Amino acid sequence: MQELHDAPLAPLTTFRLGGPATRLVTATTDDEVIAAVRAADDAGTPLLIIGGGSNLVIGDKGFDGTALRIATRGFALDGTTLTLAAGENWSDAVARTVEAGLAGVECLAGIPGSAGATPIQNVGAYGQEVSATLTEVVAYDRRIAETVTIPHAECAFSYRHSRFKQDPERFVVLRVRFELEDAGGLSAPLKYLETARALGVEAGERVAAAAARETVLRLRAGKGMVLDADDHDTWSAGSFFTNPILTEDEHAAFVRRVHDRLGPDTAPPAFPAGEGRVKTSAAWLIDRAGFTKGYGSGPARISTKHTLALTNRGAATTEDLLALAREVRDGVQAAFGVTLVNEPVTIGVDL
């Protein structure tokens, strides 16, 4: 188990932002992960878990405590059952499932980060979410100091949310299991219209899983959502804000604001979100509030490829990023009465 002191954390995040950690431990086995967590808990030391660093905004002052980087490895297929160690690269794991001819996560290709983070955020894109195929999570429960197995039914999954995100100080994910589908090399039925159109088929149809994965990668790359060290549009956390979910009354008030601002013929995106709720598009809100692609003149700007991505143009600080995020959030609130919520986790700072 590697241990460093006053260790830079910015290189461990996709934003490439943030100050150092008092102590950085890199664990390559589950036993090392548990030992590091127990040591921090026994000493009363603040603990920061880092996987792929794709969902973290770390303050410029860094982290006064132990940062634990989970670098465990393990990819196992038993028929259609997939088990991943928390430190496995998620995008690489998706590619391997497609190579094995299995369906269920092919449209989650290109998402940066580690496998252990996927249930926390209930990662989703292009019509798929991990909650659709995940069967159980093996985690270390800090409350009882034991390793536990949490079945899908107890994960409390919802849109970009879960039991693990609700109680972030309790569980440290060690392994994740999925039940995939053997569809003879075909994908799961395509749910996302953009993907289906790009493949020249109707929503609900199946295509070769490899074709679905390649199409998603191409679509993501066109939006700056596939990591590329030479492309500052990818120095981000992907979508910075979640799509707002509104009650029926909130949605009605929102539509009135849209009509007042943009005209009575303007229809904002609206999707059923269950229990009398409506989901709308954060990207649409940001763009219509005047924050278009490439917005900004400083070292932190909106991506030139996608309005949902806030980016580090190479010389930004975390405070530069947060200033931009606040400007966008407050501008959308002023324009449409909807408050955007950040998707990445903030460490040592608040939006």
PDB file of all heavy atoms in Angstrom, residues 1-28:
ATOM      1  N   MET A   1       0.853  -1.188   0.000  1.00  0.00           N
ATOM      2  CA  MET A   1       0.000   0.000   0.000  1.00  0.00           C
ATOM      3  C   MET A   1       0.891   1.241   0.000  1.00  0.00           C
ATOM      4  O   MET A   1       1.686   1.449   0.918  1.00  0.00           O
ATOM      5  CB  MET A   1      -0.927  -0.007   1.220  1.00  0.00           C
ATOM      6  CG  MET A   1      -1.964   1.089   1.213  1.00  0.00           C
ATOM      7  SD  MET A   1      -3.394   0.738   2.274  1.00  0.00           S
ATOM      8  CE  MET A   1      -2.630   0.371   3.852  1.00  0.00           C
ATOM      9  N   GLN A   2       0.776   2.046  -1.055  1.00  0.00           N
ATOM     10  CA  GLN A   2       1.615   3.236  -1.191  1.00  0.00           C
ATOM     11  C   GLN A   2       1.074   4.390  -0.347  1.00  0.00           C
ATOM     12  O   GLN A   2      -0.133   4.612  -0.290  1.00  0.00           O
ATOM     13  CB  GLN A   2       1.670   3.658  -2.661  1.00  0.00           C
ATOM     14  CG  GLN A   2       2.584   4.834  -2.932  1.00  0.00           C
ATOM     15  CD  GLN A   2       2.460   5.325  -4.358  1.00  0.00           C
ATOM     16  OE1 GLN A   2       1.430   5.837  -4.770  1.00  0.00           O
ATOM     17  NE2 GLN A   2       3.521   5.137  -5.118  1.00  0.00           N
ATOM     18  N   GLU A   3       1.966   5.126   0.294  1.00  0.00           N
ATOM     19  CA  GLU A   3       1.557   6.259   1.114  1.00  0.00           C
ATOM     20  C   GLU A   3       2.425   7.466   0.795  1.00  0.00           C
ATOM     21  O   GLU A   3       3.656   7.380   0.757  1.00  0.00           O
ATOM     22  CB  GLU A   3       1.670   5.909   2.597  1.00  0.00           C
ATOM     23  CG  GLU A   3       1.267   7.041   3.527  1.00  0.00           C
ATOM     24  CD  GLU A   3       1.281   6.630   4.987  1.00  0.00           C
ATOM     25  OE1 GLU A   3       1.077   5.431   5.271  1.00  0.00           O
ATOM     26  OE2 GLU A   3       1.505   7.507   5.841  1.00  0.00           O
ATOM     27  N   LEU A   4       1.780   8.604   0.526  1.00  0.00           N
ATOM     28  CA  LEU A   4       2.473   9.853   0.254  1.00  0.00           C
ATOM     29  C   LEU A   4       1.917  10.938   1.160  1.00  0.00           C
ATOM     30  O   LEU A   4       0.763  10.873   1.585  1.00  0.00           O
ATOM     31  CB  LEU A   4       2.289  10.273  -1.213  1.00  0.00           C
ATOM     32  CG  LEU A   4       2.795   9.310  -2.290  1.00  0.00           C
ATOM     33  CD1 LEU A   4       2.353   9.795  -3.662  1.00  0.00           C
ATOM     34  CD2 LEU A   4       4.318   9.184  -2.222  1.00  0.00           C
ATOM     35  N   HIS A   5       2.727  11.947   1.441  1.00  0.00           N
ATOM     36  CA  HIS A   5       2.294  13.057   2.285  1.00  0.00           C
ATOM     37  C   HIS A   5       2.354  14.362   1.498  1.00  0.00           C
ATOM     38  O   HIS A   5       3.202  14.527   0.609  1.00  0.00           O
ATOM     39  CB  HIS A   5       3.162  13.135   3.544  1.00  0.00           C
ATOM     40  CG  HIS A   5       2.997  11.948   4.442  1.00  0.00           C
ATOM     41  ND1 HIS A   5       2.049  11.910   5.440  1.00  0.00           N
ATOM     42  CD2 HIS A   5       3.627  10.746   4.459  1.00  0.00           C
ATOM     43  CE1 HIS A   5       2.107  10.741   6.055  1.00  0.00           C
ATOM     44  NE2 HIS A   5       3.063  10.013   5.477  1.00  0.00           N
ATOM     45  N   ASP A   6       1.432  15.273   1.821  1.00  0.00           N
ATOM     46  CA  ASP A   6       1.299  16.537   1.089  1.00  0.00           C
ATOM     47  C   ASP A   6       1.240  16.251  -0.407  1.00  0.00           C
ATOM     48  O   ASP A   6       1.964  16.846  -1.214  1.00  0.00           O
ATOM     49  CB  ASP A   6       2.453  17.480   1.423  1.00  0.00           C
ATOM     50  CG  ASP A   6       2.155  18.919   1.004  1.00  0.00           C
ATOM     51  OD1 ASP A   6       0.955  19.292   0.958  1.00  0.00           O
ATOM     52  OD2 ASP A   6       3.103  19.655   0.687  1.00  0.00           O
ATOM     53  N   ALA A   7       0.353  15.312  -0.760  1.00  0.00           N
ATOM     54  CA  ALA A   7       0.306  14.772  -2.128  1.00  0.00           C
ATOM     55  C   ALA A   7      -0.687  15.533  -2.999  1.00  0.00           C
ATOM     56  O   ALA A   7      -1.829  15.760  -2.593  1.00  0.00           O
ATOM     57  CB  ALA A   7      -0.091  13.298  -2.083  1.00  0.00           C
ATOM     58  N   PRO A   8      -0.290  15.939  -4.202  1.00  0.00           N
ATOM     59  CA  PRO A   8      -1.206  16.631  -5.120  1.00  0.00           C
ATOM     60  C   PRO A   8      -2.391  15.741  -5.485  1.00  0.00           C
ATOM     61  O   PRO A   8      -2.220  14.553  -5.786  1.00  0.00           O
ATOM     62  CB  PRO A   8      -0.332  16.914  -6.343  1.00  0.00           C
ATOM     63  CG  PRO A   8       1.075  16.817  -5.865  1.00  0.00           C
ATOM     64  CD  PRO A   8       1.061  15.796  -4.771  1.00  0.00           C
ATOM     65  N   LEU A   9      -3.590  16.317  -5.467  1.00  0.00           N
ATOM     66  CA  LEU A   9      -4.790  15.567  -5.852  1.00  0.00           C
ATOM     67  C   LEU A   9      -5.286  15.949  -7.243  1.00  0.00           C
ATOM     68  O   LEU A   9      -6.020  15.177  -7.865  1.00  0.00           O
ATOM     69  CB  LEU A   9      -5.908  15.806  -4.825  1.00  0.00           C
ATOM     70  CG  LEU A   9      -5.662  15.277  -3.420  1.00  0.00           C
ATOM     71  CD1 LEU A   9      -6.861  15.583  -2.520  1.00  0.00           C
ATOM     72  CD2 LEU A   9      -5.369  13.774  -3.433  1.00  0.00           C
ATOM     73  N   ALA A  10      -4.912  17.131  -7.728  1.00  0.00           N
ATOM     74  CA  ALA A  10      -5.394  17.575  -9.038  1.00  0.00           C
ATOM     75  C   ALA A  10      -5.137  16.546 -10.143  1.00  0.00           C
ATOM     76  O   ALA A  10      -6.027  16.299 -10.971  1.00  0.00           O
ATOM     77  CB  ALA A  10      -4.770  18.925  -9.398  1.00  0.00           C
ATOM     78  N   PRO A  11      -3.962  15.902 -10.188  1.00  0.00           N
ATOM     79  CA  PRO A  11      -3.733  14.921 -11.260  1.00  0.00           C
ATOM     80  C   PRO A  11      -4.635  13.693 -11.188  1.00  0.00           C
ATOM     81  O   PRO A  11      -4.711  12.927 -12.155  1.00  0.00           O
ATOM     82  CB  PRO A  11      -2.262  14.523 -11.057  1.00  0.00           C
ATOM     83  CG  PRO A  11      -1.653  15.639 -10.288  1.00  0.00           C
ATOM     84  CD  PRO A  11      -2.739  16.119  -9.388  1.00  0.00           C
ATOM     85  N   LEU A  12      -5.302  13.503 -10.051  1.00  0.00           N
ATOM     86  CA  LEU A  12      -6.176  12.341  -9.878  1.00  0.00           C
ATOM     87  C   LEU A  12      -7.620  12.650 -10.247  1.00  0.00           C
ATOM     88  O   LEU A  12      -8.495  11.798 -10.088  1.00  0.00           O
ATOM     89  CB  LEU A  12      -6.117  11.841  -8.434  1.00  0.00           C
ATOM     90  CG  LEU A  12      -4.726  11.440  -7.915  1.00  0.00           C
ATOM     91  CD1 LEU A  12      -4.840  10.933  -6.485  1.00  0.00           C
ATOM     92  CD2 LEU A  12      -4.082  10.397  -8.815  1.00  0.00           C
ATOM     93  N   THR A  13      -7.891  13.864 -10.719  1.00  0.00           N
ATOM     94  CA  THR A  13      -9.248  14.254 -11.099  1.00  0.00           C
ATOM     95  C   THR A  13      -9.290  14.640 -12.570  1.00  0.00           C
ATOM     96  O   THR A  13      -8.295  15.106 -13.137  1.00  0.00           O
ATOM     97  CB  THR A  13      -9.751  15.448 -10.265  1.00  0.00           C
ATOM     98  OG1 THR A  13      -9.103  16.651 -10.704  1.00  0.00           O
ATOM     99  CG2 THR A  13      -9.474  15.240  -8.795  1.00  0.00           C
ATOM    100  N   THR A  14     -10.442  14.470 -13.190  1.00  0.00           N
ATOM    101  CA  THR A  14     -10.572  14.832 -14.596  1.00  0.00           C
ATOM    102  C   THR A  14     -10.629  16.339 -14.804  1.00  0.00           C
ATOM    103  O   THR A  14     -10.365  16.825 -15.901  1.00  0.00           O
ATOM    104  CB  THR A  14     -11.819  14.176 -15.221  1.00  0.00           C
ATOM    105  OG1 THR A  14     -12.970  14.503 -14.426  1.00  0.00           O
ATOM    106  CG2 THR A  14     -11.664  12.665 -15.278  1.00  0.00           C
ATOM    107  N   PHE A  15     -10.969  17.096 -13.762  1.00  0.00           N
ATOM    108  CA  PHE A  15     -10.893  18.554 -13.832  1.00  0.00           C
ATOM    109  C   PHE A  15      -9.452  19.049 -13.769  1.00  0.00           C
ATOM    110  O   PHE A  15      -9.153  20.166 -14.162  1.00  0.00           O
ATOM    111  CB  PHE A  15     -11.665  19.189 -12.668  1.00  0.00           C
ATOM    112  CG  PHE A  15     -13.074  19.579 -12.992  1.00  0.00           C
ATOM    113  CD1 PHE A  15     -14.128  19.104 -12.234  1.00  0.00           C
ATOM    114  CD2 PHE A  15     -13.357  20.446 -14.043  1.00  0.00           C
ATOM    115  CE1 PHE A  15     -15.433  19.476 -12.521  1.00  0.00           C
ATOM    116  CE2 PHE A  15     -14.658  20.819 -14.332  1.00  0.00           C
ATOM    117  CZ  PHE A  15     -15.700  20.330 -13.566  1.00  0.00           C
ATOM    118  N   ARG A  16      -8.562  18.199 -13.180  1.00  0.00           N
ATOM    119  CA  ARG A  16      -7.168  18.581 -12.931  1.00  0.00           C
ATOM    120  C   ARG A  16      -7.101  19.816 -12.025  1.00  0.00           C
ATOM    121  O   ARG A  16      -6.308  20.733 -12.237  1.00  0.00           O
ATOM    122  CB  ARG A  16      -6.423  18.828 -14.244  1.00  0.00           C
ATOM    123  CG  ARG A  16      -6.276  17.557 -15.091  1.00  0.00           C
ATOM    124  CD  ARG A  16      -5.775  17.892 -16.487  1.00  0.00           C
ATOM    125  NE  ARG A  16      -5.421  16.709 -17.261  1.00  0.00           N
ATOM    126  CZ  ARG A  16      -6.284  15.937 -17.910  1.00  0.00           C
ATOM    127  NH1 ARG A  16      -7.579  16.217 -17.835  1.00  0.00           N
ATOM    128  NH2 ARG A  16      -5.882  14.903 -18.607  1.00  0.00           N
ATOM    129  N   LEU A  17      -7.955  19.806 -11.011  1.00  0.00           N
ATOM    130  CA  LEU A  17      -8.064  20.919 -10.073  1.00  0.00           C
ATOM    131  C   LEU A  17      -8.009  20.408  -8.639  1.00  0.00           C
ATOM    132  O   LEU A  17      -8.344  19.259  -8.365  1.00  0.00           O
ATOM    133  CB  LEU A  17      -9.380  21.673 -10.278  1.00  0.00           C
ATOM    134  CG  LEU A  17      -9.589  22.403 -11.599  1.00  0.00           C
ATOM    135  CD1 LEU A  17     -10.985  23.008 -11.644  1.00  0.00           C
ATOM    136  CD2 LEU A  17      -8.531  23.479 -11.797  1.00  0.00           C
ATOM    137  N   GLY A  18      -7.611  21.292  -7.728  1.00  0.00           N
ATOM    138  CA  GLY A  18      -7.637  20.972  -6.302  1.00  0.00           C
ATOM    139  C   GLY A  18      -6.254  20.970  -5.685  1.00  0.00           C
ATOM    140  O   GLY A  18      -5.243  20.696  -6.342  1.00  0.00           O
ATOM    141  N   GLY A  19      -6.206  21.279  -4.392  1.00  0.00           N
ATOM    142  CA  GLY A  19      -4.953  21.292  -3.660  1.00  0.00           C
ATOM    143  C   GLY A  19      -4.557  19.915  -3.174  1.00  0.00           C
ATOM    144  O   GLY A  19      -5.182  18.905  -3.519  1.00  0.00           O
ATOM    145  N   PRO A  20      -3.520  19.838  -2.348  1.00  0.00           N
ATOM    146  CA  PRO A  20      -2.987  18.544  -1.917  1.00  0.00           C
ATOM    147  C   PRO A  20      -3.766  17.926  -0.765  1.00  0.00           C
ATOM    148  O   PRO A  20      -4.530  18.599  -0.075  1.00  0.00           O
ATOM    149  CB  PRO A  20      -1.564  18.899  -1.465  1.00  0.00           C
ATOM    150  CG  PRO A  20      -1.701  20.302  -0.945  1.00  0.00           C
ATOM    151  CD  PRO A  20      -2.713  20.973  -1.849  1.00  0.00           C
ATOM    152  N   ALA A  21      -3.529  16.646  -0.545  1.00  0.00           N
ATOM    153  CA  ALA A  21      -4.045  15.944   0.629  1.00  0.00           C
ATOM    154  C   ALA A  21      -2.934  15.835   1.659  1.00  0.00           C
ATOM    155  O   ALA A  21      -1.761  15.679   1.305  1.00  0.00           O
ATOM    156  CB  ALA A  21      -4.535  14.555   0.261  1.00  0.00           C
ATOM    157  N   THR A  22      -3.303  15.918   2.921  1.00  0.00           N
ATOM    158  CA  THR A  22      -2.311  15.719   3.971  1.00  0.00           C
ATOM    159  C   THR A  22      -1.618  14.370   3.793  1.00  0.00           C
ATOM    160  O   THR A  22      -0.398  14.257   3.940  1.00  0.00           O
ATOM    161  CB  THR A  22      -2.996  15.769   5.355  1.00  0.00           C
ATOM    162  OG1 THR A  22      -3.721  16.998   5.471  1.00  0.00           O
ATOM    163  CG2 THR A  22      -1.974  15.652   6.472  1.00  0.00           C
ATOM    164  N   ARG A  23      -2.419  13.367   3.426  1.00  0.00           N
ATOM    165  CA  ARG A  23      -1.889  11.998   3.252  1.00  0.00           C
ATOM    166  C   ARG A  23      -2.672  11.327   2.132  1.00  0.00           C
ATOM    167  O   ARG A  23      -3.893  11.405   2.098  1.00  0.00           O
ATOM    168  CB  ARG A  23      -2.048  11.230   4.557  1.00  0.00           C
ATOM    169  CG  ARG A  23      -1.618   9.772   4.561  1.00  0.00           C
ATOM    170  CD  ARG A  23      -1.659   9.249   5.993  1.00  0.00           C
ATOM    171  NE  ARG A  23      -1.404   7.827   6.086  1.00  0.00           N
ATOM    172  CZ  ARG A  23      -2.351   6.897   6.216  1.00  0.00           C
ATOM    173  NH1 ARG A  23      -3.637   7.280   6.284  1.00  0.00           N
ATOM    174  NH2 ARG A  23      -2.049   5.616   6.292  1.00  0.00           N
ATOM    175  N   LEU A  24      -1.960  10.698   1.224  1.00  0.00           N
ATOM    176  CA  LEU A  24      -2.589   9.961   0.125  1.00  0.00           C
ATOM    177  C   LEU A  24      -2.157   8.507   0.192  1.00  0.00           C
ATOM    178  O   LEU A  24      -0.958   8.197   0.137  1.00  0.00           O
ATOM    179  CB  LEU A  24      -2.193  10.558  -1.229  1.00  0.00           C
ATOM    180  CG  LEU A  24      -2.627   9.765  -2.469  1.00  0.00           C
ATOM    181  CD1 LEU A  24      -4.148   9.715  -2.585  1.00  0.00           C
ATOM    182  CD2 LEU A  24      -2.014  10.368  -3.740  1.00  0.00           C
ATOM    183  N   VAL A  25      -3.142   7.629   0.295  1.00  0.00           N
ATOM    184  CA  VAL A  25      -2.886   6.191   0.334  1.00  0.00           C
ATOM    185  C   VAL A  25      -3.484   5.565  -0.920  1.00  0.00           C
ATOM    186  O   VAL A  25      -4.629   5.860  -1.280  1.00  0.00           O
ATOM    187  CB  VAL A  25      -3.521   5.556   1.590  1.00  0.00           C
ATOM    188  CG1 VAL A  25      -3.391   4.036   1.548  1.00  0.00           C
ATOM    189  CG2 VAL A  25      -2.872   6.106   2.844  1.00  0.00           C
ATOM    190  N   THR A  26      -2.724   4.726  -1.590  1.00  0.00           N
ATOM    191  CA  THR A  26      -3.221   4.002  -2.757  1.00  0.00           C
ATOM    192  C   THR A  26      -3.340   2.524  -2.406  1.00  0.00           C
ATOM    193  O   THR A  26      -2.341   1.882  -2.039  1.00  0.00           O
ATOM    194  CB  THR A  26      -2.287   4.168  -3.961  1.00  0.00           C
ATOM    195  OG1 THR A  26      -2.219   5.555  -4.310  1.00  0.00           O
ATOM    196  CG2 THR A  26      -2.805   3.384  -5.159  1.00  0.00           C
ATOM    197  N   ALA A  27      -4.550   1.991  -2.480  1.00  0.00           N
ATOM    198  CA  ALA A  27      -4.825   0.599  -2.113  1.00  0.00           C
ATOM    199  C   ALA A  27      -5.107  -0.218  -3.358  1.00  0.00           C
ATOM    200  O   ALA A  27      -5.887   0.194  -4.218  1.00  0.00           O
ATOM    201  CB  ALA A  27      -6.014   0.537  -1.165  1.00  0.00           C
ATOM    202  N   THR A  28      -4.488  -1.386  -3.450  1.00  0.00           N
ATOM    203  CA  THR A  28      -4.651  -2.236  -4.635  1.00  0.00           C
ATOM    204  C   THR A  28      -5.401  -3.528  -4.352  1.00  0.00           C
ATOM    205  O   THR A  28      -5.633  -4.316  -5.264  1.00  0.00           O
ATOM    206  CB  THR A  28      -3.279  -2.573  -5.237  1.00  0.00           C
ATOM    207  OG1 THR A  28      -2.473  -3.233  -4.248  1.00  0.00           O
ATOM    208  CG2 THR A  28      -2.558  -1.305  -5.701  1.00  0.00           C
TER     209      THR A  28
END
